[in-house]
Amino acid sequence: MVVAVPVETAPLAENNALDAVSLEAEELFDEIGLYGQMTSDAFIAGYKSVAAHKAQHRILAIADMTKPSTDERLYLIDLDKKKLILRTWVAHGSATGELYAEHFSNISGSHQTSLGLYRVGVEIASPKHGAALLLHGLDRNLNGLALEREVIMHGADYVSAEFIEKHGRLGRSWGCPTVSKAHMPQMLDLLADGGLLFVYGK
């Protein structure tokens, strides 16, 4: 008598799907020409997170917090045109680290950066920072309190070549992914109301 052995197809199918997304991300990384610009680990992790959330927008911003703040570690990528649009500085939270981002949190009052995928919301007028962008955390345990913590994308004077030259690092925020005032208009134009931001770290 032949005994039928049940086969667990769901986990296998899920693994195959993940492998397919990873392969797609690797191919896209090469096609865009990102080698030498950013690490494949950061791009693949961001691409896989977008796929897992079934999020859709042509612009994906990736902040690679494994790099020092003196590096231009924020990348804006047009996924439709398969093009790197912008590479620039981004600051991390004051309690996340000095030159390097070492500690991450989703806790209110922590002044730490939160990892994970965000949907960029509408433009707002921050009383302190001027034009800014709301951030909606899509990874509940990693960044789900972004709105409650008032984590926004905004510009600041402490994100500049002059600050780096004087202090050996960028200034730091209270957890916001802060960019230079000069590049904030591009963030508003490219990311407002639907763009995606992935904050990568280890």
Side-chain angles (χ1 to χ4, degrees), residues 15 17 22 28 35 52 54 63 84 99 104 116-117 121 129 140-142 146 157-158 161 174 176 202:
N15 288 337
S22 294
L28 188 57
Y35 181 79
K54 296 180 172 59
L84 176 64
L99 178 61
F104 303 95
L117 186 67
H129 304 292
R140 185 176 63 180
N141 293 330
L142 293 175
D157 292 330
Y158 56 75
W174 281 9
C176 299
K202 294 182 178 178

Side-chain angles (χ1 to χ4, degrees), residues 1-199:
M1 181 177 66
V2 178
V3 179
V5 179
V7 179
E8 295 184 7
T9 57
L12 181 61
E14 184 177 335
N15 288 337
N16 288 340
L18 289 173
D19 289 343
V21 172
S22 294
L23 180 59
E24 185 177 324
E26 290 173 7
E27 292 175 347
L28 188 57
F29 182 85
D30 291 337
E31 189 173 354
I32 297 173
L34 294 174
Y35 181 79
Q37 294 281 343
M38 68 182 299
T39 67
S40 60
D41 286 349
F43 179 79
I44 292 170
Y47 192 84
K48 288 172 70 173
S49 182
V50 170
H53 285 283
K54 296 180 172 59
Q56 292 185 347
H57 196 273
R58 71 182 184 91
I59 305 298
L60 170 61
I62 298 178
D64 185 355
M65 293 298 176
T66 66
K67 294 179 175 292
S69 67
T70 49
D71 279 15
E72 293 180 321
R73 56 184 180 172
L74 178 65
Y75 309 83
L76 266 66
I77 300 161
D78 189 319
L79 296 175
D80 288 347
K81 295 182 178 179
K82 300 178 181 179
K83 179 181 179 182
L84 176 64
I85 302 172
L86 176 67
R87 179 181 176 184
T88 188
W89 292 298
V90 61
H92 55 249
S94 60
T96 286
E98 294 282 337
L99 178 61
Y100 284 90
E102 299 174 321
H103 310 285
F104 303 95
S105 175
N106 188 38
I107 298 174
S108 295
S110 67
H111 293 181
Q112 292 182 14
T113 295
S114 298
L115 300 176
L117 186 67
Y118 298 80
R119 181 176 64 79
V120 182
V122 297
E123 178 182 345
I124 62 168
S126 166
K128 185 176 181 181
H129 304 292
L133 290 167
L134 290 177
L135 296 174
H136 303 267
L138 300 182
D139 291 306
R140 185 176 63 180
N141 293 330
L142 293 175
N143 59 24
L145 297 180
L147 286 177
E148 179 182 318
R149 294 178 61 201
E150 298 182 359
V151 172
I152 58 176
M153 178 177 277
H154 64 85
D157 292 330
Y158 56 75
V159 180
S160 65
E162 292 77 15
F163 195 98
I164 290 174
E165 185 176 355
K166 185 174 180 180
H167 300 279
R169 60 166 173 79
L170 288 184
R172 297 165 301 160
S173 67
W174 281 9
C176 299
T178 309
V179 299
S180 70
K181 285 187 173 180
H183 281 127
M184 192 60 209
Q186 285 177 277
M187 304 299 161
L188 297 172
D189 182 54
L190 294 169
L191 294 173
D193 203 13
L196 299 169
L197 168 66
F198 181 71
V199 180

